[in-house]
Amino acid sequence: MNSHPPAAEASRKPVPAVDLVRGVRELSFVSRVGHRSYWVETARDSGSPGRLMCSDGSAQVRPALPGDIRVGSGVYGYGSRPYAVSGRTVFFVDANDQLLYRCSPAGEVTLLAPPADELTRYAAPAPSPDGSLVYAVRERDLATGVSHDIVSVTTDGGGRIEVVASGHDFYGAPAVSPDGSRIAYVAWDHPHMPWDQSVLHELGPAGDLVVDGRPGISFTQPRYSPSGVLHVIHDESGWWNLYAADGVDGSLRPLAPMPAEFGRPDWSCGLATYAFVDGGSIVAAARDAGGDVIHRITPRGPLETLPGTAWVVEGVAGSGADVTILGGSAVQPLEVSELSRGSLRLLRDAAARRPDRISMPERLRFPTHDGSFAHAIHYEPANSAGPPPLIVSCHGGPTVGFTGLLDNGVQFWTSRGYAVVEVNYRGSAGHGRAYRQAIQQQWGHLDVADAISAARHLVAQGRVDPRRIAIRGLSSGGFTALRAAQSVPDFAAVTSLCGVVDPSSLPANTHKMESRYLDGLIAPWPAGRAEYERRSVLTNVGNLRTPTLLIHGRDDAIVPHSQSRRLAEELRHVGTPVELVTYEGEGHGLRNPDHVVDALLREHRFVERHLGSGASRSTAPPARIDTGQRGLREYDLYLRQGSG
C-alpha cells in the first residue's frame, strides 16, 4: 500500500465520471502458496469477469490460467471465492458455466464436476492434502428450490461427487486439516443470517460433530493451523475475535481478545482476514471505528502491530514467514502487497487514476435522536464558497459498512464542491455485535433516523448548507434514503440505486440467501405482513414529495426492477417529480462500464437541478428544513402514527 500525499494545488480539477471505470482493476480473494501470491483481478472498463493472476514476488504479474479463462462464483449471489491453489495445481470455478475445474502445472485443464440437469454452481474449493479430492460448497437450482451442501469431487476427471455435509440451509467455505482427516465448516439456517447465528461443525473419523452451536453466536472463517489446531472467529464476547480449539477438552480459547472485529459479514463464501505464518504466529486484520490494524499474534506472547496506518484490509494470506495483503487506505484503492521481513512491497495496484487532490475522510461519532450514538465518515469538499451542499450516502446490506477506502465516486462529488457523509448507521458491521444487531426489527427506523441525525449533526456545526442536502442509497440503502426523504423535509433530492421499495414483495421474489433476511430486520414472515406494509415506501406515498431519481437494472434478481417501476408510477400519480432510469442486461448493481458512467452523470445532473451548483452557494430560502428539535419530533410522531 503506497501512501501518496495529496497534491497541494489551491484549486481542484473535477474527477471525471469515467475515472470510476477507466483503467481500474478490482482486486479480490488473495491467497499465497510458497513465494507466489494469487488474486482475482477484474478490469472495470471491460465488463468481463475476472482473471486469476499470480506473482512470485517479482515485478512480473501473469495470468495463473491458460488462454482467456475467467473465474467467478455466483454462489449466494454476491460473488464467492472461485479458486484454490495446491502446489502448482489450480482448482477453479469457471465464470461462464460455474463448474469446477483443475489446471495442472503443465496448463492442462480438466473438468471435475460435469454439468447436471439442474443449474449448478460451486464456490470456495479446498483440495485435500494428497490432491485426490477437492471439497466445495455446491448450489443447485432444483425444482423444489435452491439447495446448498458441501461435496467432495475426485480430481482425476472421473466426475465422482459425494455429499459430505447437508441438511442446513447454507454452508460456509470448508477447511481441510493438514493430514486430511478432518473438515471444518460453518452452517446456518433460516431465518438467521450468518452474522446473526451459525453453527461450527467438524467432520472427522468420529463423524460430523457440532463443535459449537450456542444460540446468539456467529461463527466465521474456520481454519486449521499447520499443526492441525482448529481456529475460528466468533462473537460471543460482543466482537468477532479469534479463537483456537486447543483449550481443555478442545474448547475454544480466545486469542488476543479486544473490542475489534477480526471477521467480516459473510456475504461472500471464502473470506480470509487471518493467516498462519512460521513460528506458530497468526497475522490478522482487526477493524473498529478507527479503521483497520494488522496484528501478529504469537503463541502466548505479546501482540505486535505490523506496519501501516489508516488501512482498510479485506484479505490476508500467509505462507512461511511472509504475508500477502489485500488492502488500501484513504489515498489508495485496494491493492495486493507482500509483507516480507518487516517491509511492505506492492505487487499489484488498482491502476486507477488518482484525483489530483484527495478529500480525506473524517470519522464521526455523532449523537442520534434517541440519545445514543452512531458512526459516519465525512468528506470536506474542494472549491466551495461557504457551507457546501451535502450528499448523504446510505450503504446497502444493511449489514456492511463504509470503510474510508479511497473511492473515486466520493471524490467525484467532493471535487465538484459537495460534502459527502457516509453513514454507518446502527446495523453496520465493524462496530461489534450489539451495534450490528441493534437494527433487528428496526430496519426502516434506526437506519433512517441515524441518516437524518448525521445530516443534522453537520448542519448544527455549520459545516453544510441546510437548504441543499441530497440523500442517496444502494440496495437496502435505497430503502433507507427513500424512507428518510419520505419522513422529514430535510432533503432536496433523493436517489435510489437498485433500492428496496416494498419489503413485503421481497420474501417471494428475492434469492434464497435473503429470502428470510427481513424476518430479523422487520418481523417474521408472513405473520408480520402488516408491519412490512407499514414500512413500505408505497404506504403513504404522498408523503414523498422530494424529487426522486430511481436507477435500476432490468435483470435484478435480488431487488426486482418492478420495485422501482411501481414507485415511479405512484409518484407520478401524486405529482412528485420522479425519473426512472432502467439499464438493460444489468442485475443488482451496475457492471457495464458505460452504464456506470451514464448513471453517475445522470445523478449529477439531477442533483444539480434540485440543489444548485455544488461550487456556488444557493440563495434560496430554507423552506425544506428545520434543524432543531421540531424536525425530530415530527419524525417520532411519524413513527408513532404507524406510517413506518
Side-chain angles (χ1 to χ4, degrees):
M1 274 151 278
N2 298 337
S3 191
H4 305 293
E9 291 89 346
S11 63
R12 181 179 176 189
K13 297 178 182 178
V15 173
V18 73
D19 278 4
L20 271 68
V21 295
R22 179 172 54 189
V24 175
R25 302 184 186 115
E26 285 186 353
L27 311 177
S28 60
F29 296 118
V30 294
S31 65
R32 187 178 183 92
V33 177
H35 298 294
R36 302 186 309 279
S37 297
Y38 296 84
W39 62 90
V40 177
E41 181 174 306
T42 304
R44 285 293 285 116
D45 53 9
S46 73
S48 300
R51 301 185 71 179
L52 183 62
M53 306 300 288
C54 176
S55 170
D56 61 2
S58 67
Q60 182 181 8
V61 172
R62 60 175 179 81
L65 297 170
D68 191 33
I69 293 176
R70 303 288 171 154
V71 298
S73 169
V75 169
Y76 298 147
Y78 290 100
S80 293
R81 181 176 290 269
Y83 77 97
V85 183
S86 177
R88 290 188 174 274
T89 299
V90 180
F91 300 93
F92 67 92
V93 179
D94 187 284
N96 295 312
D97 62 20
Q98 294 292 294
L99 299 179
L100 194 59
Y101 291 79
R102 184 195 73 226
C103 181
S104 73
E108 298 174 352
V109 176
T110 303
L111 174 63
L112 301 184
D117 292 338
E118 66 277 353
L119 184 61
T120 304
R121 308 171 191 89
Y122 291 88
S128 63
D130 64 4
S132 64
L133 297 173
V134 60
Y135 300 90
V137 175
R138 182 176 65 170
E139 179 179 274
R140 293 180 295 165
D141 292 353
L142 304 175
T144 54
V146 178
S147 170
H148 292 94
D149 51 24
I150 295 178
V151 297
S152 67
V153 183
T154 55
T155 61
D156 58 4
R160 292 182 294 279
I161 301 174
E162 180 180 348
V163 176
V164 298
S166 63
H168 287 286
D169 289 324
F170 303 98
Y171 290 87
V176 185
S177 65
D179 64 2
S181 65
R182 294 171 293 156
I183 302 167
Y185 63 90
V186 167
W188 65 99
D189 296 300
H190 283 318
H192 302 296
M193 298 298 281
W195 46 84
D196 298 327
Q197 179 174 306
S198 54
V199 182
L200 174 62
H201 285 258
E202 187 173 52
L203 177 63
D208 194 348
L209 304 176
V210 174
V211 178
D212 201 331
R214 289 168 291 167
I217 300 177
S218 166
F219 295 87
T220 183
Q221 296 186 44
R223 200 158 294 130
Y224 289 96
S225 71
S227 63
V229 175
L230 176 61
H231 290 63
V232 73
I233 294 170
H234 73 65
D235 61 0
E236 180 185 20
S237 69
W239 299 85
W240 269 323
N241 279 189
L242 187 59
Y243 293 78
D246 60 358
V248 178
D249 300 325
S251 59
L252 296 172
R253 175 177 63 87
L255 306 174
M258 65 179 70
E261 305 274 51
F262 287 94
R264 307 286 186 267
D266 282 318
W267 286 100
S268 297
C269 185
L271 301 180
T273 52
Y274 73 96
F276 302 101
V277 292
D278 284 351
S281 297
I282 299 172
V283 175
R287 173 171 294 175
D288 62 17
D292 296 355
V293 176
I294 299 180
H295 296 293
R296 185 188 299 273
I297 305 169
T298 57
R300 315 289 180 180
L303 190 68
E304 177 187 356
T305 301
L306 299 182
T309 58
W311 276 13
V312 177
V313 181
E314 298 297 349
V316 178
S319 180
D322 299 330
V323 179
T324 301
I325 297 168
L326 176 66
S329 70
V331 297
Q332 200 69 24
L334 288 181
E335 57 191 15
V336 179
S337 299
E338 179 182 72
L339 183 61
S340 179
R341 297 181 177 88
S343 63
L344 193 69
R345 186 158 59 94
L346 177 67
L347 298 179
R348 190 66 153 176
D349 65 17
R353 291 167 55 92
R354 296 177 63 256
D356 67 310
R357 183 163 165 256
I358 293 171
S359 294
M360 298 295 288
E362 173 194 3
R363 296 181 183 272
L364 301 179
R365 181 176 181 265
F366 61 90
T368 59
H369 80 291
D370 57 0
S372 187
F373 290 88
H375 300 275
I377 300 175
H378 174 238
Y379 298 84
E380 293 276 7
N383 313 333
S384 178
L390 175 66
I391 305 292
V392 179
S393 189
C394 306
H395 63 69
T399 314
V400 289
F402 292 113
T403 62
L405 184 73
L406 177 62
D407 179 355
N408 277 353
V410 171
Q411 303 299 320
F412 172 91
W413 292 104
T414 59
S415 67
R416 286 165 171 76
Y418 292 86
V420 174
V421 64
E422 297 177 323
V423 187
N424 281 328
Y425 43 75
R426 283 169 286 183
S428 304
H431 304 277
R433 181 178 176 89
Y435 193 87
R436 192 172 72 241
Q437 294 294 109
I439 204 170
Q440 292 292 293
Q441 313 298 310
Q442 295 297 315
W443 184 47
H445 292 338
L446 275 187
D447 50 325
V448 171
D450 289 354
I452 295 168
S453 294
R456 290 179 172 176
H457 175 72
L458 293 170
V459 167
Q461 291 185 331
R463 302 179 69 179
V464 299
D465 186 343
R467 291 161 292 195
R468 295 186 296 154
I469 302 177
I471 188 167
R472 70 192 303 271
L474 169 70
S475 189
S476 76
F479 180 66
T480 303
L482 290 167
R483 291 265 298 167
Q486 185 177 44
S487 61
V488 295
D490 297 34
F491 304 104
V494 58
T495 299
S496 169
L497 300 99
C498 308
V500 175
V501 172
D502 179 16
S504 66
S505 71
L506 287 185
N509 293 295
T510 192
H511 63 155
K512 178 186 174 184
M513 172 87 167
E514 296 182 73
S515 62
R516 300 291 300 277
Y517 192 12
L518 303 191
D519 280 41
L521 293 176
I522 297 179
W525 178 265
R529 178 186 292 272
E531 184 60 30
Y532 284 63
E533 293 174 351
R534 276 193 292 269
R535 296 193 202 183
S536 171
V537 180
L538 298 175
T539 301
N540 296 320
V541 71
N543 290 346
L544 182 53
R545 309 305 300 178
T546 305
T548 301
L549 174 63
L550 305 171
I551 298 173
H552 220 124
R554 176 77 71 182
D555 300 333
D556 194 337
I558 294 173
V559 179
H561 172 264
S562 57
Q563 296 251 315
S564 289
R565 186 181 66 244
R566 171 84 183 279
L567 178 59
E569 293 169 352
E570 295 286 344
L571 289 176
R572 292 187 187 109
H573 181 73
V574 299
T576 297
V578 60
E579 298 177 31
L580 172 62
V581 182
T582 299
Y583 291 101
E584 300 293 336
E586 293 281 15
H588 194 58
L590 305 181
R591 298 299 301 175
N592 183 304
D594 293 335
H595 295 165
V596 172
V597 173
D598 182 72
L600 183 56
L601 292 176
R602 287 175 182 267
E603 184 179 7
H604 179 243
R605 289 193 295 268
F606 172 79
V607 169
E608 290 272 283
R609 186 160 61 252
H610 295 289
L611 271 69
S613 174
S616 61
R617 186 170 182 179
S618 170
T619 58
R624 292 188 54 79
I625 186 165
D626 184 318
T627 61
Q629 292 301 309
R630 184 177 68 84
L632 293 176
R633 288 197 298 270
E634 286 176 353
Y635 180 69
D636 289 334
L637 178 62
Y638 175 79
L639 295 181
R640 288 197 299 273
Q641 288 175 336
S643 298

